[in-house]
Amino acid sequence: AQTVTQSQPEMSVQEAETVTLSCTYDTSESDYYLFWYKQPPSRQMILVIRQEAYKQQNATENRFSVNFQKAAKSFSLKISDSQLGDAAMYFCAYRSGLGGGSNYKLTFGKGTLLTVNP
Amino acid sequence: ETGVTQTPRHLVMGMTNKKSLKCEQHLGHNAMYWYKQSAKKPLELMFVYSLEERVENNSVPSRFSPECPNSSHLFLHLHTLQPEDSALYLCASSQDGKGRDEQYFGPGTRLTVT
């Protein structure tokens, strides 16, 4: 079974600075998808960024980018120019690219709580 | 109203009660999900419905019973729960549930079992 590990339970960053959140995963599959979700204190979880394993180019979404290292099974999230609104719990997630029922399942890490200091 | 809504937002119930959680999505999606979120644990997928058919059931105890009457509505019926079932229950929906498909989450129901 796939597992997702976020080794940093908590992180903090100064406003306007850059922070990197770590995520590693364990899989024997070659086709899969990786996601970062954000859950602000209001509790509604939203997608931040996603990456297809077959793509070598790292995904970017405005101030958010990933460092995808397939061989190392690492998928870190970089937040540039941090803003107070970035404060949230961040979850890394994995989905298999295989056919069948396993495609539906997202496997989540335990999350990293990010604090942004003014 | 847009997105994914959940009611009630908070629920306190005794172990002998029967209650139901409701989820509604206004996004035209075909897949819906129930997750359990407990402190210091990863989100646990409970059930997945695709086109109103249950496609995944992750060894969830029978005291949790899902129902999907149509592609816009999802219920979680609760009966004879245990205190360890206290958690945040999240509903989500997505277009088809596969590949790079994004899941849209509701705000959750905070359940306390006394």
Side-chain angles (χ1 to χ4, degrees), chain A residues 4 6 9 19 29 32 42-43 50 56 61 69 74 76 80-81 86 97 99 103 107 111 113 116 118:
Chain A
V4 176
Q6 293 179 249
V19 64
E29 300 169 348
Y32 51 86
S42 66
R43 295 289 185 181
R50 57 190 153 186
Q56 292 187 339
E61 288 285 347
Q69 301 289 327
S74 171
S76 60
S80 304
D81 185 26
D86 295 333
N103 264 4
T107 300
L113 180 63
V116 181

Side-chain angles (χ1 to χ4, degrees), chain A residues 54-87:
Chain A
Y54 62 82
K55 288 189 176 179
Q56 292 187 339
Q57 187 172 5
N58 289 325
T60 62
E61 288 285 347
N62 301 314
R63 298 182 295 106
F64 298 88
S65 62
V66 299
N67 183 4
F68 173 48
Q69 301 289 327
K70 192 171 185 179
K73 297 180 184 176
S74 171
F75 184 60
S76 60
L77 174 70
K78 186 171 84 170
I79 306 174
S80 304
D81 185 26
S82 297
Q83 300 176 0
L84 295 177
D86 295 333

Side-chain angles (χ1 to χ4, degrees), chain A residues 37 39 44 50 52 95, chain B residues 37 56 99-101 103 105:
Chain A
Y37 279 86
Q39 189 178 37
Q44 199 135 6
R50 57 190 153 186
E52 294 87 341
R95 176 188 283 134
Chain B
Q37 186 176 26
E56 187 126 2
R100 70 191 305 272
D101 196 35
Q103 291 188 10
F105 287 81

Side-chain angles (χ1 to χ4, degrees), chain B residues 9-23:
Chain B
R9 295 294 306 277
H10 300 273
L11 178 62
V12 179
M13 59 185 289
M15 290 191 286
T16 59
N17 291 159
K18 289 184 180 181
K19 296 286 184 183
S20 295
L21 310 185
K22 179 183 176 182
C23 175

